[in-house]
Amino acid sequence: PCPYLRAGPAPPIPVAARAAPRAVADLAALGVSSGPSGAATLAGARAALTGEDATTRREALGVDRDAVVVLLSTEAATR
């Protein structure tokens, strides 16, 4: 198993309320159908990997410019 998953969940990352709708729109622009809870993975990745102290968090997570981040969305957009 992946050592990151074996270690258990990481502390939660706060995500602004406006971040999920933006993530929905950004995913839709790429052809990915996702609702707000599904797009929260993108919003969370953005919150974790950008902004203040991003360098420290990226180093702790081992995410450099060559990293691939996989996001899971289990909710399609609703009408």
Side-chain angles (χ1 to χ4, degrees), residues 3-70:
Y4 295 109
L5 297 178
R6 191 175 333 125
I13 299 289
V15 175
R18 67 184 177 280
R22 177 181 164 217
V24 168
D26 292 344
L27 289 171
L30 296 170
V32 177
S33 173
S34 183
S37 65
T41 57
L42 175 57
R46 285 178 172 158
L49 301 175
T50 63
E52 190 175 330
D53 296 326
T55 301
T56 302
R57 289 191 301 274
R58 284 173 176 255
E59 288 174 0
L61 294 168
V63 177
D64 61 17
R65 77 178 20 211
D66 296 322
V68 174
V69 176
V70 177

